[in-house]
Amino acid sequence: MRTPRRPIHAVSTWVRRQPPKVKAFLAVVSGMAALVLLRVIVHDHDNLFVAAEAVHSIGISVLIYKLMKEKTCAGLSLKSQELTAIFLAVRLYCSFVMEYDIHTLLDLATLGTTLWVIYMTRFKLKSSYMEDKDNFAIYYVVLPCALLALAIHPSTSHHVINRIFWAFCVYLEAVSVLPQLRVMQNTKIVEPFTAHYVFALGVARFLSCAHWVLQVLDSRGHLLTALGYGLWPSMVLISEIVQTFILADFCYYYVQSVFGGQLVLRLPSGVV
């Protein structure tokens, strides 16, 4: 007699067998359903942005716990951490000279912990760093983001240098996780703490994207015009969506692994 499969396992198996176009359609439908749910549950959509920062901080805390408890940085991308530090530092500068608020303090705390992770990886735990797996050339993302920021940036009354820096940090944040995904692609096996950290990044990116989308809907598009004219308002929204979809595939396999009771996440070929 065959043991009946759990509904979640049955659904995940069915989804895995679908062609890419069907998977993309299901991802879009799931995202829209989640947005509708958040719009109903969360009345002040500014809280979504704070929640995104909080989830990101939780992910960093998990990473710190791993470095301190297990004394290893295996599976961690130093380059992703460096890109994160760059965009956070630039965003902090923009916050101080353009719009100082509570998010500035959150970014300052996140930058501090990110710099600590970089220090531990580069010096204290260097022997466990998988440098051969962390082979993503960061200039592939830094240079395009810089050029894009020069071409498309806010049209506010601030100094043009500050506006270019603002655009640069928005674009760089959207792709800063790519080196970490390359490391996981090279190893195919992701240990629990790194998986928790990357999943937290995915949730944080989704909440941030949801914040912007719902704010645009609530203002009936007026928020986009308030950000300026030209292509910049659209690029802000596109950047939020891009960074969400970059991690969507990994998050799917993470959830599947957790519900399957697997401590170590094994990624199929072609994921991330």
Side-chain angles (χ1 to χ4, degrees):
M1 182 177 179
R2 295 179 60 185
T3 304
R5 294 187 299 177
R6 288 182 294 180
I8 294 177
H9 179 70
V11 171
S12 65
T13 302
W14 178 82
V15 172
R16 193 164 54 246
R17 292 174 178 173
Q18 302 308 306
K21 289 184 178 180
V22 175
K23 289 181 179 179
F25 172 76
L26 292 174
V28 171
V29 171
S30 300
M32 293 177 64
L35 283 176
V36 171
L37 184 62
L38 286 174
R39 190 174 189 181
V40 172
I41 295 176
V42 182
H43 299 291
D44 186 355
H45 297 146
D46 282 334
N47 291 334
L48 291 175
F49 194 82
V50 177
E53 293 286 347
V55 173
H56 189 183
S57 299
I58 291 173
I60 290 288
S61 300
V62 170
L63 208 53
I64 291 174
Y65 179 79
K66 168 191 173 175
L67 298 180
M68 295 184 66
K69 179 178 174 57
E70 300 192 349
K71 303 297 182 182
T72 176
C73 60
L76 184 65
S77 170
L78 176 61
K79 293 179 178 179
S80 261
Q81 295 302 313
E82 290 172 340
L83 290 176
T84 300
I86 291 172
F87 85 71
L88 282 172
V90 175
R91 193 161 72 186
L92 268 174
Y93 165 78
C94 293
S95 294
F96 278 119
V97 300
M98 298 171 73
E99 48 175 7
Y100 184 87
D101 55 18
I102 183 62
H103 305 309
T104 305
L105 298 177
L106 293 173
D107 281 343
L108 184 61
T110 305
L111 176 61
T113 53
T114 301
L115 290 174
W116 185 86
V117 170
I118 292 174
Y119 169 75
M120 292 294 290
T121 305
R122 186 172 288 279
F123 299 105
K124 295 294 186 180
L125 304 174
K126 187 177 181 180
S127 60
S128 60
Y129 171 50
M130 298 179 174
E131 188 173 0
D132 58 323
K133 303 295 184 183
D134 195 12
N135 54 10
F136 189 96
I138 60 175
Y139 56 80
Y140 282 158
V141 294
V142 174
L143 289 180
C145 288
L147 293 175
L148 190 59
L150 285 171
I152 305 175
H153 49 264
S155 55
T156 59
S157 59
H158 302 94
H159 193 279
V160 63
I161 297 298
N162 296 336
R163 288 185 276 136
I164 291 174
F165 279 160
W166 184 7
F168 175 72
C169 72
V170 169
Y171 300 145
L172 189 60
E173 181 184 13
V175 294
S176 61
V177 76
L178 288 178
Q180 180 63 60
L181 296 182
R182 171 63 68 86
V183 171
M184 295 189 299
Q185 187 181 55
N186 290 336
T187 59
K188 294 300 180 186
I189 297 177
V190 187
E191 55 81 37
F193 288 113
T194 303
H196 298 335
Y197 164 68
V198 177
F199 178 72
L201 284 184
V203 174
R205 299 289 166 84
F206 172 75
L207 291 174
S208 179
C209 180
H211 164 260
W212 279 102
V213 172
L214 293 179
Q215 289 284 68
V216 170
L217 292 176
D218 289 344
S219 65
R220 298 184 179 181
H222 294 306
L223 177 63
L224 293 179
T225 57
L227 292 173
Y229 54 84
L231 294 175
W232 168 247
S234 299
M235 290 302 295
V236 172
L237 197 56
I238 291 173
S239 297
E240 293 290 339
I241 295 173
V242 165
Q243 61 182 314
T244 300
F245 275 94
I246 284 177
L247 287 167
D249 206 17
F250 172 84
C251 289
Y252 164 75
Y253 284 100
Y254 173 88
V255 172
Q256 178 184 335
S257 176
V258 169
F259 280 107
Q262 301 176 15
L263 294 179
V264 177
L265 178 60
R266 300 179 184 274
L267 297 175
S269 299
V271 179
V272 304

